[in-house]
Amino acid sequence: MDTLVNLQALPMGAAIGGPAVALGGITLFLVREYVKDQKKKSSKFPPPPVTLSVFVLCGIEGDYGEAHSYHYCLYHYMNIFWKLKNDGLNAEVPGLPVIGNLLQLKEKKPHKTFTKWAETYGPIYSIKTGSNIMVVLNTTDVAKEAMVTKYSSISTRKLSNALKILTSDKSIVAMSDYNEFYKAAKRHLLTSTLGPNAQKRHRVHRDIMIKNICEQFHAHAKIYPSEAVNFRKIFQSELFGLSLKQVEELGTTLSRQEIFKILVIDPMEGAIEVDWRDFFPYLKWVPNKSFEKRIQQMYFRRQAVMKALIEQQKQRSILAWYSQIPQTNTLSEQQTLMLLWEAIIEASDTTLVTSEWAMYELSKDPERQKLCQLPYLAAVFHETLRKHSPVPIVPLRYVHEDAQLGGYNIPNGTEIAINIYGCNMDRKVWDSPEEWKPERFLKGKDDTTELHKTMAFGGGKRVCAGALQAMLISCVAIGRLVQEFEWRLKDGEEANVDTLGLTTHKLHPLLSIIKPRN
Ligand code: HEM
């Protein structure tokens, strides 16, 4: 999934407008007074005295998700702030008043910024994104603790405004809270599409996909032997075809490229659209019409295409798992539509990201292309997941009851960012982490825990449902492409390592010169 990582921590500070600044002055004053007051009362960071009276006077009830008044947010913020301080998590990245660390994250590659901060502030620290407090985990042990042993206290999500619309308010597996809908939906996804039996049935589609890809690369090598081929152009289109399976009829009104844009590219971009109200929930009454219009348009276009697709597939009974869903009577039509879309978008992105980076690394190094026996192929796959972590930050988790992580008490209301990329760059765990060395996985080849040390697919109850599919497609593709061609990077391509977007999408599509092997 991966595709819908909720990076609410990816703000463009510049988007924060006038009203925030105006209220900011008041906030700053209140915070300063509060801190002064605390210091006067005790030097040992007492528990927050809590502006409970303000809270009560405002008449706010319900959980944090519903309580969006300015006072409540301030109360909530201070509460978490002092609890964290009290329990010794002093590592805190300094930021600006009111907006906190938002401006420092405007580069839109928070996994890299978080990793850099870990060098200065240690592997666990807190940051502020507007009125939210987030604890960032950059170390494997604590990340596992959050995903596995402490999961029950950290199993909900707080979505950005864009994601609320695009996911029909948590109606997809990857973005839902842990509840009955989640359990039913994940079960369906696994039994009908992504689990081992379903993947066995889908083998025929994978074989056709790889055959088509190889044919297109051969055609290119024949006509333009000395010109670089654009890996992504061929791979992406075939991969999307696999995820949609047969949509030729739909294709008579819309091209595959157009459908791809509506179902995959637009929502991926929409998911990281910044609505500054995400960071200042007490300002949610301020209209942000252009933002809402953009996201709503994406939503309606996707609805239209998905409905057409479902109608068509129902008539042809091709989507086997779709016809299974209504039998349970547990999912509404809209939830079913969303799950179908989820399977499409998630199948179309991260597998491409992984395969493209693996072919980039192999194209750099002809010697390593000779070593493609099976264990080595698995090592290439896992090392690519480590160095290029396709989902660099696990979709944000929300602490809904006080929990302990890494020996610190983390209060209810804190957001948790698990920086998988940061964990995979940790020098204490990985030798020369910046180098791509598949050999590091050969030693532990019989030890599956060693292979999953990268945590690329998350872990615990929320572990990625599509890990098997991603591995099957990626490994078969990488193996076949290296078997059939010699790969060499186009001159100048080596430096193109920049990424773009929610996943670690290669900014510049891979360009390699390919030569068929005898
Ligand atoms: C290399 C490829 C992939 C990577 C690295 C990846 C990674 C991840 C990660 C990190 C999560 C989040 C786990 C969490 O919240 O703790 C996730 C969740 C998920 N992924 Fe993937 N994914 C990949 C491919 C796929 C594919 C191909 C599909 C489906 C076709 C898929 C479907 C899902 C679903 C449904 C979830 C939500 C699981 C849950 O919340 O229980 N993923 N993935």
Side-chain angles (χ1 to χ4, degrees):
M1 110 121 210
D2 34 11
T3 54
L4 287 182
V5 181
N6 171 14
L7 292 184
Q8 296 160 70
L10 286 190
M12 301 226 294
I16 296 162
V21 177
L23 267 175
I26 311 171
T27 315
L28 191 58
F29 173 75
L30 284 172
V31 171
R32 209 192 300 122
E33 290 308 298
Y34 183 92
V35 173
K36 261 199 225 152
D37 193 38
Q38 287 303 311
K39 283 194 175 154
K40 253 188 255 157
K41 283 185 187 153
S42 163
S43 58
K44 277 182 61 203
F45 298 127
V50 174
T51 37
L52 197 57
S53 52
V54 174
F55 179 45
V56 172
L57 278 173
C58 289
I60 292 153
E61 290 175 88
D63 65 9
Y64 174 68
E66 285 143 23
H68 283 309
S69 94
Y70 174 64
H71 289 117
Y72 180 81
C73 288
L74 180 59
Y75 154 75
H76 180 79
Y77 173 91
M78 294 311 294
N79 201 11
I80 298 176
F81 178 83
W82 283 105
K83 274 190 183 165
L84 280 176
K85 284 260 182 223
N86 217 12
D87 291 315
L89 184 58
N90 288 318
E92 178 195 331
V93 180
L96 294 173
V98 184
I99 61 170
N101 304 97
L102 289 181
L103 281 177
Q104 290 146 286
L105 290 165
K106 68 171 187 269
E107 203 199 350
K108 285 208 172 186
K109 288 187 191 71
H111 59 288
K112 295 221 162 142
T113 312
F114 289 170
T115 308
K116 227 182 311 143
W117 283 342
E119 287 167 18
T120 311
Y121 303 101
I124 310 177
Y125 51 80
S126 68
I127 63 168
K128 298 182 198 83
T129 55
S131 61
N132 308 320
I133 295 194
M134 187 186 292
V135 167
V136 185
L137 312 178
N138 298 277
T139 178
T140 309
D141 292 348
V142 185
K144 279 194 182 142
E145 198 184 348
M147 289 192 281
V148 185
T149 39
K150 302 295 164 55
Y151 174 72
S152 59
S153 311
I154 317 175
S155 63
T156 54
R157 308 226 191 254
K158 190 153 72 87
L159 300 194
S160 64
N161 289 336
L163 276 178
K164 252 183 237 151
I165 299 173
L166 290 170
T167 64
S168 270
D169 203 7
K170 303 190 178 178
S171 291
I172 66 172
V173 175
M175 286 297 129
S176 68
D177 296 335
Y178 189 71
N179 54 24
E180 289 311 310
F181 161 76
Y182 166 83
K183 287 187 222 161
K186 191 162 185 181
R187 204 169 44 242
H188 281 305
L189 212 50
L190 285 170
T191 49
S192 9
T193 336
L194 300 174
N197 288 336
Q199 285 299 311
K200 245 187 234 166
R201 289 199 305 274
H202 291 311
R203 180 175 175 165
V204 55
H205 300 298
R206 286 197 300 275
D207 288 349
I208 293 172
M209 178 193 130
I210 303 295
K211 185 169 153 280
N212 290 347
I213 290 176
C214 286
E215 277 173 9
Q216 290 179 60
F217 279 122
H218 274 295
H220 174 96
K222 200 167 167 192
I223 307 171
Y224 312 105
S226 54
E227 271 182 40
V229 65
N230 183 326
F231 175 89
R232 187 182 302 170
K233 213 164 164 190
I234 295 176
F235 194 89
Q236 182 168 272
S237 166
E238 287 299 323
L239 182 63
F240 184 54
L242 176 80
S243 72
L244 274 182
K245 294 193 209 99
Q246 326 202 12
V247 290
E248 290 86 27
E249 284 172 24
L250 196 72
T252 55
T253 47
L254 283 176
S255 70
R256 185 185 278 188
Q257 202 51 36
E258 284 167 316
I259 301 172
F260 182 65
K261 182 162 167 13
I262 294 169
L263 296 188
V264 180
I265 297 181
D266 289 351
M268 291 280 288
E269 284 177 9
I272 51 172
E273 280 262 351
V274 175
D275 179 352
W276 49 264
R277 295 170 303 180
D278 289 334
F279 307 108
F280 305 96
Y282 48 85
L283 294 177
K284 86 172 188 167
W285 52 272
V286 181
N288 190 355
K289 285 263 182 319
S290 63
F291 166 85
E292 277 158 17
K293 199 169 151 208
R294 259 192 331 274
I295 303 290
Q296 293 286 5
Q297 268 171 356
M298 286 177 194
Y299 175 89
F300 287 122
R301 276 154 55 95
R302 185 196 59 199
Q303 287 287 106
V305 170
M306 284 307 301
K307 279 189 177 155
L309 179 56
I310 289 170
E311 260 325 297
Q312 176 199 335
Q313 304 296 350
K314 260 191 197 162
Q315 283 164 19
R316 298 163 74 191
S317 303
I318 285 169
L319 277 180
W321 77 282
Y322 174 77
S323 53
Q324 286 168 22
I325 287 175
Q327 291 164 17
T328 66
N329 283 334
T330 49
L331 301 174
S332 69
E333 201 171 307
Q334 178 61 14
Q335 284 173 330
T336 308
L337 180 150
M338 292 303 296
L339 289 181
L340 257 177
W341 171 69
E342 177 169 26
I344 291 170
I345 189 170
E346 282 159 0
S348 306
D349 185 70
T350 42
T351 310
L352 163 74
V353 169
T354 313
S355 308
E356 193 172 23
W357 280 117
M359 293 313 296
Y360 163 86
E361 296 287 0
L362 284 167
S363 295
K364 252 180 19 184
D365 190 345
E367 277 310 300
R368 285 200 165 104
Q369 291 176 35
K370 293 183 192 149
L371 294 170
C372 267
Q373 306 112 356
L374 268 187
Y376 197 74
L377 189 56
V380 163
F381 178 68
H382 287 284
E383 176 63 347
T384 306
L385 291 177
R386 185 196 65 79
K387 189 180 165 200
H388 297 284
S389 308
V391 180
I393 298 176
V394 172
L396 298 186
R397 306 273 178 93
Y398 185 66
V399 181
H400 54 85
E401 63 185 19
D402 292 354
Q404 266 217 338
L405 281 180
Y408 300 112
N409 287 334
I410 309 292
N412 158 20
T414 314
E415 281 182 292
I416 301 286
I418 302 173
N419 184 10
I420 295 184
Y421 172 84
C423 296
N424 285 331
M425 286 292 138
D426 187 347
R427 286 178 192 286
K428 292 194 199 93
V429 180
W430 305 97
D431 170 40
S432 315
E434 62 295 335
E435 279 178 42
W436 186 79
K437 278 198 302 192
E439 296 75 21
R440 70 172 91 232
F441 283 101
L442 287 178
K443 282 178 237 139
K445 67 180 188 300
D446 298 323
D447 177 1
T448 45
T449 50
E450 186 66 16
L451 288 178
H452 293 290
K453 215 165 90 178
T454 64
M455 301 183 299
F457 295 108
K461 286 200 168 79
R462 299 305 290 249
V463 72
C464 171
L468 179 64
Q469 173 171 312
M471 190 188 75
L472 288 172
I473 296 179
S474 242
C475 287
V476 172
I478 298 164
R480 274 289 293 279
L481 291 173
V482 172
Q483 216 172 32
E484 303 225 1
F485 303 93
E486 286 170 38
W487 293 74
R488 180 166 57 83
L489 278 187
K490 185 183 174 208
D491 288 347
E493 168 65 11
E494 187 161 350
N496 288 338
V497 289
D498 210 356
T499 62
L500 171 80
L502 212 52
T503 50
T504 52
H505 217 80
K506 201 169 176 304
L507 177 61
H508 305 279
L510 169 63
L511 297 176
S512 286
I513 317 267
I514 51 173
K515 187 169 149 210
R517 293 183 198 273
N518 290 333

